[in-house]
Amino acid sequence: MTKKRVAILISGRGSNMAALIEAAKAPDYPAEIALVISNVPGAAGLTRARETGIATEVVDHKAFGKDREAFDRALHGALERHAIDIVCLAGFMRLLTPAFVAKWSGRMINIHPSLLPAFKGLDTHARAIAEGVKQHGATVHFVVPELDSGPIIAQESVPVLPGDTPETLAARVLAVEHRIYPLALRRVAEGLA
Ligand code: GRF
């Protein structure tokens, strides 16, 4: 089996990244985590990745000002240098240009903390509680130019319980994220998604 080479793009703590790294240790897992890229130099997830010996790169968006194309070209350059096959966005807080998304069409996936198409964007847990929905959850989907859209690969719900705060609900959803992201990446790497 030739394992697909995966890059994980992060901006923060990287708990989904860690879940993917852990899953990819299994000998029969069809993907290896070859690279972690962060747009935030101090992201906690970078330290975590370095500790596991995975190659890391920082592409600091601040260095590119408002030039999103140039930032995305730098990202693309790093991905090419590391011969990456599949890109996983995991708490990566930058909008990507349509040109970049097109280059990675069908090979770039994202995890979002809601049952898409409900609650695209930020603050999903607080919004779910405010709306009074009874089910919330997480979704892994292919990335398309439109934010938090694109074909769904995996999705799982959790109940919203009486007394939930955004934090308690987020923790319940995060446990689901850590389970479904490795499953979704497996399906994509095996060409099943
Ligand atoms: C996760 O909830 C993910 O779904 C969202 O941002 C959060 C990132 O958490 N896109 P982590 O960095 O993976 O811990």
Side-chain angles (χ1 to χ4, degrees):
M1 173 179 66
T2 319
K3 294 191 181 226
K4 293 283 193 300
R5 291 175 60 78
V6 171
I8 306 175
L9 272 53
I10 62 167
S11 300
R13 75 190 152 176
S15 71
N16 278 289
M17 174 205 77
L20 292 173
I21 290 172
E22 195 53 38
K25 286 182 185 164
D28 72 338
Y29 199 78
E32 62 177 302
I33 311 306
L35 177 65
V36 170
I37 302 181
S38 176
N39 65 308
V40 178
L46 271 180
T47 314
R48 235 163 151 170
R50 286 187 190 117
E51 281 165 7
T52 64
I54 292 171
T56 60
E57 295 220 12
V58 173
V59 184
D60 186 350
H61 63 275
K62 291 201 182 117
F64 297 88
K66 287 194 179 2
D67 194 347
R68 287 187 184 273
E69 270 90 20
F71 172 74
D72 285 4
R73 275 198 301 277
L75 273 185
H76 189 71
L79 297 171
E80 284 200 316
R81 274 198 305 285
H82 290 266
I84 296 303
D85 301 305
I86 297 171
V87 176
C88 292
L89 307 182
F92 184 68
M93 305 303 285
R94 299 298 295 171
L95 290 174
L96 297 163
T97 59
F100 180 88
V101 173
K103 278 187 202 145
W104 290 93
S105 176
R107 300 189 293 145
M108 179 157 62
I109 65 180
N110 178 46
I111 187 148
H112 183 74
S114 79
L115 294 174
L116 289 175
F119 303 117
K120 298 177 181 181
L122 298 174
D123 300 324
T124 58
H125 309 304
R127 288 158 58 207
I129 291 170
E131 292 283 346
V133 297
K134 299 298 172 208
Q135 296 288 322
H136 190 42
T139 306
V140 182
H141 63 95
F142 284 106
V143 176
V144 297
E146 195 188 330
L147 180 72
D148 297 331
S149 303
I152 290 171
I153 304 158
Q155 188 170 60
E156 194 176 312
S157 62
V158 301
V160 181
L161 300 177
D164 258 338
T165 63
E167 291 72 30
T168 58
L169 183 53
R172 195 173 307 123
V173 170
L174 196 63
V176 163
E177 294 184 40
H178 296 165
R179 193 166 58 247
I180 67 172
Y181 211 171
L183 294 175
L185 175 57
R186 174 185 278 279
R187 295 192 62 200
V188 172
E190 287 174 343
L192 299 175

